[in-house]
Amino acid sequence: MAAAGALAQAPSPSANLALTPPMGWNSWNKFACNVSEDMIKSMADAMVKSGMKDAGYVYVNIDDCWQVSRDANGNIVADPQRFPRGMKALGDYIHSLGLKFGVYSDAGSKTCAGRPGGLGHEYQDALQYAAWGVDYLKYDWCNTTTQDARASYANMRAALDASGRPIVLSICEWGKAQPWLWGKQVGGNLWRTTDDIKDRWGGPEKWPDGSCCSNGVLAILDLQVGLQSYAGPGHWNDPDMLEVGNGGMSDTEYRSHFSLWAILAAPLISGNDLRDMRPEIHDILTNKEVIAIDQDALGRGGERVAKDGDLEVWSKQLQDGSRAVVLLNRSEKGQQITVHWEELGYPASLGASVRDLWAHKDLGKFTGKFTGAVASHGVVMVTVKP
Ligand code: GLA
């Protein structure tokens, strides 16, 4: 009994992971299955050289398609053509730059791209990941047939913990079984709330190629309404990885995408080619004032506090008692948007300093409300500090 009690109290190696939303890069949105050791290494180099590392991005995550088979003992095998020096060497290289190493697998029999999944190999894979120096596992949900989501992810967390290495667990179940209700209890550090993001602004209209639907920035944003209370240090809602810089949206729209993900306290996992960024894209991804809102230590999720047709106000409480505010204009023309202090939980009589986080400018002291001129599909993002 004493031994069992001691075991139950042993701190989990994953106890202090992701106390702020994870920041990094992932291969999927830009490269899909076209991953290789050379590409990942050059991306890690670019993360350092571009200033992304200095801005807080740390995880270098390989998504689907690095794995090809299992060997006679059931060990997962990385593609020997694309990763000729093996995963341990790649992890060592990433670590040598002061960055962290992430891989992808799937709770079912196969990954979404049809590679071997983790089902039945959870403990074996976790030990292998730990031996490679993996710091982050994105665990997908394809080919899971009748599996129970909560039990499947609890099992993988237990396997990761048993490996002895602290490994972030990214639950990629697309929100089907409401993972915000159980993700924290099973030791998930983040959980996808929706299907895969598309590099598009719009809502749930049909795409030009006739395929259906949704999953642009606005559609995903709308699905985050009401989830804010589930976010907190160590466990985050994940509205999917960033599309900033991938070419399907305007710079104004990318600025909005980034601002909204930051106010949501979403993981900031960039998904563009870091080796080849226009200055405008670089300046969006490395805006330290906006990143500071995402990374605020209180760990509150942002919420929509006002909506008048296409004009919205989003607010997030910060550790120092101030608020981050995004004024969002979803309409096709420039418009004025006003945030009233009561919407932020402040009395109307309060005087507060307003700072613009994109202009990097103090705008002065305001009482009761603040009005910003917001471009079509744009945001004004400010802090309001009593
Ligand atoms: C699913 C996930 C994506 C990506 C692909 C890889 O669609 O939701 O983020 O990992 O699988 O196949």
Side-chain angles (χ1 to χ4, degrees), residues 26 28-29 33 63-65 104 106 111-114 138 140-142 172-174 192 194-197 240-241:
N26 172 294
W28 185 255
N29 283 355
C33 265
D63 208 277
D64 208 346
C65 302
Y104 161 102
D106 187 289
T111 71
C112 293
K138 173 176 168 182
D140 214 340
W141 192 240
C142 279
C172 182
E173 183 269 358
W174 323 310
R192 283 275 297 280
T194 68
D195 284 331
D196 293 7
I197 193 171
D240 206 357
M241 305 176 291

Side-chain angles (χ1 to χ4, degrees), residues 14-355:
S14 56
N16 288 313
L17 291 171
L19 296 180
T20 62
M23 291 178 66
W25 176 88
N26 172 294
S27 51
W28 185 255
N29 283 355
K30 171 79 184 174
F31 297 93
C33 265
N34 196 12
V35 289
S36 71
E37 175 182 304
D38 288 345
M39 185 271 275
I40 299 293
K41 281 168 96 171
S42 64
M43 210 61 68
D45 290 339
M47 192 180 271
V48 176
K49 281 198 207 106
S50 63
M52 293 280 287
K53 183 189 175 204
D54 285 342
Y57 297 84
V58 62
Y59 292 101
V60 177
N61 293 349
I62 315 176
D63 208 277
D64 208 346
C65 302
W66 60 266
Q67 62 284 72
V68 283
S69 58
R70 289 190 181 273
D71 70 14
N73 296 319
N75 296 311
I76 190 76
V77 176
D79 185 328
Q81 259 89 51
R82 288 173 173 268
F83 296 89
R85 285 169 204 80
M87 300 299 268
K88 167 80 167 71
L90 182 53
D92 287 348
Y93 184 79
I94 290 168
H95 290 143
S96 77
L97 300 176
L99 299 170
K100 295 186 171 188
F101 180 33
V103 294
Y104 161 102
S105 187
D106 187 289
S109 55
K110 287 191 160 112
T111 71
C112 293
R115 305 303 176 90
L119 183 61
H121 295 272
E122 293 84 358
Y123 280 73
Q124 183 177 20
D125 285 349
L127 280 177
Q128 179 66 87
Y129 300 152
W132 288 341
V134 166
D135 304 295
Y136 185 116
L137 175 68
K138 173 176 168 182
Y139 212 45
D140 214 340
W141 192 240
C142 279
N143 305 300
T144 47
T145 62
T146 59
Q147 281 172 247
D148 177 69
R150 182 183 173 134
S152 299
Y153 285 100
N155 190 30
M156 195 61 211
R157 168 44 83 200
L160 293 173
D161 283 355
S163 81
R165 186 172 174 88
I167 298 178
V168 169
L169 177 60
S170 161
I171 295 177
C172 182
E173 183 269 358
W174 323 310
K176 300 280 181 260
Q178 301 180 290
W180 45 90
L181 298 178
W182 47 264
K184 177 185 173 191
Q185 281 78 10
V186 304
N189 299 109
L190 57 155
W191 47 81
R192 283 275 297 280
T193 54
T194 68
D195 284 331
D196 293 7
I197 193 171
K198 297 262 170 67
D199 186 13
R200 297 279 170 80
W201 174 251
E205 75 277 14
K206 277 214 191 312
W207 301 124
D209 68 3
S211 71
C212 190
C213 294
S214 72
N215 295 357
V217 162
L218 290 181
I220 288 195
L221 180 71
D222 288 341
L223 292 170
Q224 310 313 308
V225 172
L227 299 186
Q228 65 274 357
S229 62
Y230 300 105
H235 50 95
W236 308 99
N237 295 308
D238 175 8
D240 206 357
M241 305 176 291
L242 297 167
E243 291 283 9
V244 177
N246 280 336
M249 290 182 250
S250 68
D251 290 347
T252 297
E253 291 166 343
Y254 282 140
R255 220 170 281 122
S256 300
H257 172 24
F258 194 70
S259 303
L260 289 161
W261 263 231
I263 205 158
L264 288 169
L268 297 179
I269 307 293
S270 54
N272 58 320
D273 191 340
L274 305 179
R275 302 168 300 187
D276 178 25
M277 278 191 277
R278 287 186 293 114
E280 292 80 3
I281 297 302
H282 172 271
D283 292 352
I284 293 171
L285 288 172
T286 61
N287 183 327
K288 291 187 185 175
E289 294 197 66
V290 173
I291 291 171
I293 301 307
D294 181 76
Q295 296 288 302
D296 182 76
L298 186 63
R300 284 291 175 89
E303 61 184 307
R304 190 163 70 192
V305 295
K307 180 169 176 66
D308 175 11
D310 283 333
L311 310 183
E312 300 183 358
V313 179
W314 289 75
S315 161
K316 177 185 199 249
Q317 187 182 339
L318 303 176
Q319 189 173 43
D320 68 359
S322 65
R323 304 287 189 266
V325 173
V326 168
L327 309 176
L328 169 66
N329 177 5
R330 304 165 66 134
S331 81
E332 301 307 314
K333 60 174 203 293
Q335 303 216 41
Q336 310 258 42
I337 302 178
T338 298
V339 51
H340 299 271
W341 279 192
E342 287 107 321
E343 292 159 356
L344 307 178
Y346 291 151
S349 57
L350 186 80
S353 305
V354 175
R355 179 172 173 83

